[in-house]
Amino acid sequence: MKKLILILTLLLVFSNYTIALANTGANSAKELNYLVDKYIDKRTIDSGLAIAIFDSETFLKEKYLGHMDIENGLKFDEDTILEWGSVSKLLIWISAMQLQEKGKLDLDADIKTYLDKDFMDSINLKSAICMKNLMNHNAGFEELYYDLLLPKDYNKKSLKDALLKNIPEQIFSPSEVTIYSNYGTALAAYIVEEISGMDYSEYVAKNIFEPLGMKNSAIAPTLADDESVKMRRENLKCYTINGNLIKDDFCYMPLYPAGTMSSNLKDLAIFGKAILKKDERIMKEKTWNEFFTPTSFYEDTNIASNCHGMWVLPYEIKILGHHGNTKGCSSKLLLDLENNRGIAIMTNVRNEIVFNEMMPEYLFGNFSYSDYFKADKAPKGFYKLAQTEQNGPLKLSGMKYLKAEKFENKFLIHANKNVERLSLPHQDFLKVPNSQPIIEMILLISWIFSFLIAVISTIFLFVMRFKQKFKDNLPLFSFLLEIIITGLVIFSAMRMLNYDFRAEIFKITFILISILSLILAIITLRTLIKPRLETAKKSSKYIILFTQFTILINIIYWKIFMFWKI
């Protein structure tokens, strides 16, 4: 009986210890190692997962689970190459810090100091920006999605050419709004090129990979800087969160410094370990200390959101790091400087959440319970993600609204200076009128309704013409135009959903939409001024005008005619 009581007591103590770890976050790398095993053991993994746990001196764990190719039964191992995605951006910021250390770059200086006049005239900034604005993602650029990920056989361009091909508009003043910007980070990498006189990929290889001994890494646009890495990446298969195989999962990224980096787990962990260690093979300790100091805060607080490009991720304890997503991979690098431990997570699953999103909260605690969670209650109303196109034909893709209530128990600060917004890690959400989402939903529903009417009416009119009971070509031509225009918009949406954002295809598509819409507008005007529907009933005329007006109003509201913005 005493033995039974002793066993039960030990189990109770052990379970309480486990609960305490899960609720407060592990306090050492060894405890972190224990929690990772506990989390993983409860889950079945078919696609691949690679996890490394380390402190500044040692590697505590390298764990490989699941498959790099489910269909052929190939397992994840230490040679598996995966994409870092946006974790690649940390290489840019360390490169910038290195150049500052050498006295070649002032992080607070206007970037025109380092770029030629023709380039600056081309990007046409409304307000001056500095490297810190690019690090903090608050230079004011809207985010453009076309030509971000392209088929791997796409014509290669220099980083400069890629930056000049698709220039986003500076829609906010610097430091006003946080908009996660791939363009801004690639622009920072180009500044590294201009100052160093080296291609960015060559600079990173010489100043980061070689000193750290990262022998399984490649960052060039097609991974051509390491043929072994390139070949092993081509052997990787990637999957959706539902386990479906993703075809053509490797994409060419013209703004490649923002997300092309690929390596095995070991090299990502070596990189993370070097940051924890303040490795002097990369930078002096003084520069590392500056790197870890905040450069951006949540407005009217002393709560840091960014440290020279490293995001402050507000779990229950303070974590610095970055996450990344590509067409086929998800990754995360999380560093706890105070407790000297880090974790690198890599999967071959697009937008993976079980290990990249849910596990870190399990490990480090929910940020709503942190000591520095001081957000006011979110004001009622609707908010729109700032990282959407504001001034172009892809405005339609930005119809993503959240009610303030959805932010309950989330880390946010209600800022009300020049722009009313809610601030979360990585992003700001902008306040919009309560009527805006409703109006936009009505517009889209009316467009769908008009499209269906046009399809049905076109079929009916063809039948009537065949029976020689309808001879007026104008309404038939009008309905056909509406169907074609809607079809082109749907085609564009499908291309976006399939990660095919080639600018020339979009531009041609929207030029065609603009021409057809102009013809439709002329037909509508003519119908109003001089009705020609002799064989149609009065109600039919109203139906025709309704569908015409609906299509045109949607085109104008969503700015679909602004093909020159692409």
Side-chain angles (χ1 to χ4, degrees):
M1 185 68 179
K2 289 182 179 179
K3 288 184 178 180
L4 179 60
I5 293 173
L6 178 61
I7 292 171
L8 290 173
T9 302
L10 289 173
L11 286 174
L12 180 62
V13 170
F14 181 74
S15 63
N16 287 337
Y17 171 71
T18 301
I19 292 170
L21 281 177
N23 287 339
T24 64
N27 293 316
S28 70
K30 289 183 179 179
E31 291 172 348
L32 186 64
N33 187 19
Y34 165 77
L35 284 181
V36 168
D37 283 339
K38 185 173 183 294
Y39 186 88
I40 289 175
D41 288 345
K42 294 181 179 179
R43 286 158 179 83
T44 301
I45 302 168
D46 291 322
S47 53
L49 170 66
I51 292 182
I53 298 171
F54 49 87
D55 58 27
S56 60
E57 298 298 330
T58 59
F59 288 100
L60 278 79
K61 178 191 293 293
E62 283 181 63
K63 194 158 189 171
Y64 303 92
L65 300 163
H67 299 83
M68 62 174 287
D69 183 342
I70 296 175
E71 290 72 21
N72 293 304
L74 300 179
K75 298 280 190 177
F76 253 39
D77 60 30
E78 61 183 13
D79 291 322
T80 302
I81 296 295
L82 296 121
E83 296 166 351
W84 290 22
S86 286
V87 179
S88 308
K89 292 176 172 66
L90 296 180
L91 296 166
I92 303 175
W93 311 134
I94 287 180
S95 299
M97 297 301 295
Q98 288 176 331
L99 292 173
Q100 186 213 31
E101 181 179 273
K102 295 175 182 177
K104 297 181 178 181
L105 172 63
D106 181 348
L107 302 181
D108 294 305
D110 189 331
I111 63 169
K112 71 178 181 182
T113 306
Y114 310 104
L115 301 172
D116 63 68
K117 185 177 183 302
D118 289 343
F119 183 89
M120 292 301 299
D121 289 343
S122 297
I123 63 176
N124 190 31
L125 296 179
K126 295 177 181 177
S127 302
I129 60 174
C130 63
M131 179 62 77
K132 281 185 181 175
N133 291 131
L134 301 178
M135 290 174 157
N136 296 333
H137 295 264
N138 62 14
F141 295 124
E142 64 179 338
E143 179 72 340
L144 301 181
Y145 295 101
Y146 40 80
D147 280 1
L148 183 60
L149 298 173
L150 299 170
K152 60 184 177 182
D153 59 350
Y154 190 78
N155 292 330
K156 286 75 177 176
K157 296 181 180 295
S158 69
L159 179 55
K160 179 180 180 179
D161 289 339
L163 287 165
L164 291 175
K165 185 178 179 184
N166 298 309
I167 302 170
E169 189 171 339
Q170 191 181 29
I171 56 176
F172 294 105
S173 298
S175 304
E176 189 174 49
V177 173
T178 299
I179 303 178
Y180 190 82
S181 176
N182 288 293
Y183 186 91
T185 51
L187 178 58
Y190 178 58
I191 293 172
V192 171
E193 282 193 350
E194 289 294 280
I195 294 174
S196 67
M198 301 172 64
D199 180 87
Y200 173 74
S201 61
E202 293 176 0
Y203 178 92
V204 170
K206 181 179 179 180
N207 293 280
I208 299 177
F209 295 169
E210 290 179 15
L212 295 181
M214 294 171 63
K215 298 179 180 179
N216 292 278
S217 297
I219 195 173
T222 58
L223 308 184
D225 46 333
D226 191 310
E227 286 299 323
S228 173
V229 170
K230 180 180 180 182
M231 180 185 69
R232 284 181 282 161
R233 171 59 188 89
E234 289 173 350
N235 292 334
L236 179 73
K237 297 291 189 295
C238 298
Y239 303 89
T240 67
I241 56 176
N242 297 319
N244 298 319
L245 180 67
I246 300 173
K247 296 181 179 179
D248 300 321
D249 53 72
F250 181 80
C251 291
Y252 168 65
M253 191 173 185
L255 302 176
Y256 76 93
T260 298
M261 174 68 188
S262 297
S263 79
N264 63 354
L265 172 68
K266 183 78 171 182
D267 273 15
L268 176 57
I270 287 173
F271 178 67
K273 183 170 171 284
I275 297 174
L276 268 186
K277 188 178 181 180
K278 302 180 183 177
D279 200 316
E280 294 204 2
R281 291 175 295 176
I282 299 298
M283 297 187 296
K284 296 176 182 177
E285 184 177 3
K286 180 181 178 182
T287 308
W288 280 114
N289 290 335
E290 181 180 357
F291 183 51
F292 296 140
T293 60
T295 48
S296 179
F297 297 84
Y298 292 98
E299 193 163 348
D300 299 327
T301 75
N302 60 353
I303 304 171
S305 63
N306 193 293
C307 297
H308 291 87
M310 291 190 75
W311 294 106
V312 181
L313 303 172
Y315 296 104
E316 189 171 345
I317 55 178
K318 181 180 177 181
I319 300 292
L320 296 182
H322 216 294
H323 71 277
N325 284 297
T326 65
K327 186 177 180 181
C329 296
S330 302
S331 64
K332 207 147 199 156
L333 182 64
L334 302 174
L335 304 171
D336 177 4
L337 273 61
E338 184 176 342
N339 294 299
N340 186 33
R341 73 264 175 79
I343 181 169
I345 306 168
M346 305 182 85
T347 70
N348 58 340
V349 178
R350 181 171 69 203
N351 298 323
E352 198 280 329
I353 60 172
V354 174
F355 297 101
N356 280 279
E357 300 301 329
M358 295 168 61
M359 186 171 69
E361 187 168 306
Y362 171 80
L363 298 175
F364 301 118
N366 187 300
F367 52 64
S368 64
Y369 298 107
S370 66
D371 291 336
Y372 53 96
F373 177 72
K374 302 180 185 300
D376 296 328
K377 185 175 181 181
K380 294 188 180 297
F382 288 96
Y383 291 80
K384 181 177 183 177
L385 184 64
Q387 191 195 13
T388 54
E389 186 169 325
Q390 309 282 338
N391 296 294
L394 296 185
K395 179 184 175 183
L396 184 61
S397 65
M399 191 178 171
K400 302 169 186 175
Y401 296 102
L402 290 174
K403 293 189 72 173
E405 290 79 4
K406 296 289 185 181
F407 290 101
E408 294 298 331
N409 297 321
K410 300 294 183 183
F411 184 83
L412 58 91
I413 299 296
H414 176 215
N416 193 357
K417 191 176 181 182
N418 297 322
V419 180
E420 189 171 1
R421 66 192 187 276
L422 296 175
S423 297
L424 280 76
H426 308 98
Q427 297 284 2
D428 281 351
F429 284 76
L430 308 181
K431 185 79 164 61
V432 298
N434 291 337
S435 59
Q436 184 171 321
I438 298 171
I439 290 171
E440 291 183 354
M441 185 59 67
I442 291 172
L443 282 171
L444 286 177
I445 291 173
S446 66
W447 191 344
I448 294 169
F449 185 62
S450 296
F451 171 71
L452 293 175
I453 290 176
V455 171
I456 295 169
S457 298
T458 301
I459 295 171
F460 174 77
L461 291 177
F462 267 118
V463 171
M464 295 298 288
R465 281 179 64 83
F466 181 75
K467 293 182 177 181
Q468 297 183 341
K469 294 184 178 181
F470 190 87
K471 298 180 180 179
D472 197 332
N473 291 321
L474 199 58
L476 180 60
F477 185 59
S478 173
F479 284 135
L480 282 172
L481 276 181
E482 294 172 27
I483 293 170
I484 294 170
I485 290 169
T486 306
L488 288 171
V489 173
I490 293 172
F491 165 79
S492 299
M494 294 300 293
R495 297 303 288 251
M496 286 187 282
L497 290 173
N498 285 292
Y499 286 77
D500 194 345
F501 291 83
R502 280 178 279 187
E504 65 267 25
I505 293 177
F506 276 85
K507 193 161 191 172
I508 291 170
T509 301
F510 289 118
I511 287 174
L512 186 56
I513 289 174
S514 300
I515 293 171
L516 296 177
S517 300
L518 180 61
I519 296 172
L520 184 62
I522 294 171
I523 291 173
T524 305
L525 186 63
R526 185 172 180 179
T527 303
L528 285 170
I529 297 173
K530 187 179 179 181
R532 293 191 56 201
L533 308 179
E534 296 89 352
T535 58
K537 295 180 180 179
K538 197 171 185 179
S539 59
S540 299
K541 174 185 172 183
Y542 292 143
I543 291 174
I544 293 169
L545 288 174
F546 168 77
T547 58
Q548 291 172 348
F549 273 119
T550 298
I551 299 292
L552 292 174
I553 289 171
N554 270 281
I555 287 169
I556 293 169
Y557 180 85
W558 298 111
K559 302 182 180 180
I560 292 175
F561 62 92
M562 297 174 69
F563 60 86
W564 57 86
K565 286 288 184 180
I566 296 179

